[in-house]
Amino acid sequence: MSSHISFFKSVENYVDKAASFTEIPRGLVEQIKVCNLVLQIRFPVRVGNDYQVVEAYRVQHSHHRMPTKGGIRYDESVNQDEVMALAALMTYKCALMDVPFGGAKGGIKINPANYSIEQLQNITRRYTAELVKKNFIGPGIDVPAPDYGTGPREMAWILDTYQALRHGEVDSIGCVTGKPVTQNGIRGRAEATGRGVFYAVRECVSFEEDMKKIGLTKGMAGKTMVVQGLGNVGSNAALISQQEGDVKIIGVSEREGSIYGPNGIDVEKLLAFRKDTGSIIGFPGTEHVGDALAALEIECDILVPAALENQITLGNADRIKTKIIAEAANGPVSADANEVLLKKGIIIIPDFYANAGGVTVSYFEWLKNLSHHRFGRLENRFQHNAFERIVSKVVEMTGKSITEREIEFLTRGGTEVELVNSGLEDTMITAYQQIRETFVQHNQIQDIRTAAFVCSLKKIAGDYISMGIFP
Ligand code: GLU
């Protein structure tokens, strides 16, 4: 994360700082910090008439809860330190959200744009086979999911490979999450991380006293937002913040550069424009203001870095002119830049809370897979009939008339996506309230990130202690 220390080391430093506000024994903190298992694999892939050696990883950071859980990223800059740091963040993320998993992460060091779909499929299937060989995947062992550069398509290939090798295993569909809905996925998973970012920001800006300190009023409506990265997370965070939070998106950046639109950018239209033209540059009503990093320097209320780690560093921290940063990506702010931004009074909603929506809904998907039925299937009709009886009784008692539409609205049960979104919303709100309570109660804790690490650490330490390993 910083130019001086590694990404993993910087996560360790955050944990050490948080641990100093707790009574957790030193040795237990050390155990919590280390990676329990690190797998480094090299395998060949055929490209044309030749072969290429592919470098890949899977790290299981903590076995205090099983299975372990975390995405798989495809990116040219993947390396062991990065995967270890991301796996560690998953542990703290899951604990914070009360998602009962240990943390893990995987990575394949490739640029997916350089491979055909067939080659990507070969690489994904071979990687999965390696994980199976080493007992590094399974519904009770380690459950991958999408991350940067992967999506439902890759998850479907992983599931199919796993099932071919573990034929007849009754819970095999729970070996991976983020699958297409038609392949035992769950509705709402694709947009869950972006939706979670929206709930995180909405919760943060809902406290009048906190907003007053940074010169803002409470509430989302009318606040200006800049989003870096229009991948799955950034595009959904922007879209949902605009549609459900009435936020004004004034800046967006992507690989090709940054655009600024002070009168507001319609995200849905921008996404369609990029699909057609291959670029966000030239979108009507906006000006091109520089490269992919330029948008980070636009003055706004809420800045959402939703690309990769290390985007805000000592190199640009001074020029950041926002009040709130919601870390939709993992590790977008380097450790030294973090200090600069805190001194400027910026509220940073940390990555392992802000982007926890994905793993939260992955947990719902895994529950659905293990229970082998869709949420709501058993109870919806029963609930509908019960509500209908209540409504007709009320109508009878009051003598008031009611329309068919109103009856339908009052009596219907939740659809899968409604249940998923409400479970996600509740989880995000509860976690923020826990973090804020810790922050308010400890007056030496200066920032939300440290407060969030304190919450996670206490829960993980509690698990170890109740296992009897550390009396
Ligand atoms: N890759 C996502 C993350 O970093 C999702 C992980 C999951 O769903 O297991 O949280």
Side-chain angles (χ1 to χ4, degrees):
M1 265 165 85
S2 130
S3 44
H4 312 295
I5 53 169
S6 79
F7 191 0
F8 182 67
K9 183 73 195 147
S10 75
V11 175
E12 286 197 310
N13 288 350
Y14 285 135
V15 175
D16 282 332
K17 182 174 170 193
S20 71
F21 297 105
T22 72
E23 307 281 292
I24 304 168
R26 196 61 230 161
L28 179 46
V29 174
E30 289 306 317
Q31 170 57 37
I32 292 171
K33 274 163 43 185
V34 293
C35 285
N36 291 173
L37 260 182
V38 180
L39 177 67
Q40 186 191 113
I41 337 166
R42 308 277 163 124
F43 55 82
V45 55
R46 190 159 179 152
V47 179
N49 289 330
D50 201 357
Y51 290 86
Q52 262 179 28
V53 182
V54 174
E55 182 181 327
Y57 301 88
R58 183 73 185 171
V59 172
Q60 294 171 3
H61 173 260
S62 181
H63 290 164
H64 76 289
R65 293 233 174 177
M66 293 294 280
T68 51
K69 187 86 191 78
I72 298 176
R73 69 168 52 181
Y74 290 2
D75 185 56
E76 246 162 356
S77 65
V78 161
N79 60 74
Q80 184 171 322
D81 181 83
E82 180 195 56
V83 183
M84 284 168 62
L86 295 168
L89 284 174
M90 287 308 301
T91 294
Y92 305 111
K93 190 183 298 189
C94 290
L96 190 63
M97 308 311 287
D98 289 329
V99 166
F101 299 140
K105 200 74 160 204
I108 305 187
K109 190 176 162 55
I110 52 164
N111 176 354
N114 294 342
Y115 296 88
S116 67
I117 292 181
E118 200 187 339
Q119 287 163 346
L120 285 174
Q121 180 165 178
N122 286 342
I123 293 170
T124 307
R125 287 183 180 278
R126 177 61 188 256
Y127 175 72
T128 311
E130 296 290 333
L131 296 182
V132 171
K133 268 202 300 201
K134 299 284 178 219
N135 211 18
F136 254 74
I137 181 171
I141 299 170
D142 186 358
V143 183
D147 198 81
Y148 191 84
T150 58
R153 179 184 71 182
E154 284 73 17
M155 303 307 116
W157 292 334
I158 293 174
L159 173 66
D160 189 55
T161 309
Y162 183 85
Q163 288 187 318
L165 297 169
R166 292 264 194 265
H167 181 66
E169 194 182 288
V170 67
D171 287 331
S172 59
I173 51 172
C175 76
V176 61
T177 60
K179 303 179 289 289
V181 174
T182 51
Q183 301 293 313
N184 298 291
I186 197 166
R187 288 164 187 83
R189 174 62 185 87
E191 58 276 23
T193 313
R195 175 168 287 282
V197 173
F198 162 63
Y199 291 140
V201 176
R202 195 189 65 185
E203 210 38 37
C204 170
V205 301
S206 72
F207 292 92
E208 195 160 10
E209 52 198 289
D210 300 354
M211 290 303 100
K212 244 190 185 159
K213 284 187 197 146
I214 54 170
L216 292 178
T217 51
K218 84 173 215 185
M220 291 283 266
K223 292 218 163 36
T224 53
M225 181 183 270
V226 170
V227 180
Q228 185 208 24
L230 281 183
N232 176 42
V233 181
S235 60
N236 280 302
L239 210 55
I240 296 169
S241 298
Q242 184 161 74
Q243 290 172 349
E244 296 179 30
D246 220 1
V247 152
K248 191 169 166 191
I249 309 286
I250 58 164
V252 172
S253 85
E254 247 302 333
R255 251 176 268 268
E256 59 272 18
S258 296
I259 54 169
Y260 174 55
N263 296 323
I265 300 168
D266 185 316
V267 180
E268 205 170 340
K269 289 197 179 128
L270 176 65
L271 291 170
F273 180 86
R274 185 165 195 257
K275 213 168 168 194
D276 283 351
T277 66
S279 169
I280 57 172
I281 313 297
F283 183 66
T286 67
E287 61 176 297
H288 180 190
V289 289
D291 66 4
L293 288 172
L296 298 169
E297 298 176 23
I298 295 173
E299 186 166 354
C300 60
D301 298 325
I302 306 157
L303 176 62
V304 183
L308 281 170
E309 59 261 27
N310 241 355
Q311 301 300 297
I312 302 177
T313 60
L314 280 189
N316 57 1
D318 263 352
R319 299 192 298 275
I320 304 295
K321 295 184 278 295
T322 185
K323 301 274 171 60
I324 300 169
I325 295 178
E327 294 185 332
N330 288 308
V333 174
S334 74
D336 37 19
N338 189 62
E339 296 309 309
V340 175
L341 300 175
L342 291 179
K343 280 203 189 98
K344 288 172 81 151
I346 296 173
I347 295 180
I348 303 178
I349 309 175
D351 47 8
F352 69 105
Y353 165 67
N355 67 30
V359 76
T360 302
V361 175
S362 273
Y363 171 45
F364 301 156
E365 180 175 333
W366 182 78
L367 290 175
K368 173 186 179 183
N369 293 157
L370 295 199
S371 66
H372 297 266
H373 88 302
R374 173 172 43 78
F375 292 127
R377 181 170 174 177
L378 277 183
E379 63 274 28
N380 269 4
R381 179 66 36 191
F382 179 81
Q383 227 173 47
H384 168 78
N385 292 341
F387 285 149
E388 210 167 49
R389 285 196 295 276
I390 296 170
V391 170
S392 50
K393 191 75 197 160
V394 172
V395 169
E396 189 191 306
M397 281 163 62
T398 58
K400 295 234 164 83
S401 67
I402 187 165
T403 66
E404 282 297 317
R405 262 187 82 171
E406 284 166 334
I407 294 183
E408 160 67 18
F409 174 72
L410 291 169
T411 60
R412 74 184 179 86
T415 60
E416 184 175 75
V417 71
E418 286 168 335
L419 292 170
V420 162
N421 288 348
S422 76
L424 171 61
E425 183 174 5
D426 192 58
T427 309
M428 294 300 298
I429 292 174
T430 307
Y432 193 81
Q433 287 173 353
Q434 282 174 9
I435 301 169
R436 191 171 178 276
E437 216 174 283
T438 304
F439 181 62
V440 172
Q441 272 168 11
H442 287 256
N443 41 19
Q444 301 106 308
I445 297 181
Q446 305 287 326
D447 62 312
I448 307 281
R449 190 190 314 275
T450 307
F453 271 117
V454 167
C455 293
S456 300
L457 272 178
K458 283 187 173 165
K459 291 186 196 182
I460 302 165
D463 278 352
Y464 271 109
I465 291 165
S466 60
M467 276 190 266
I469 299 174
F470 290 88

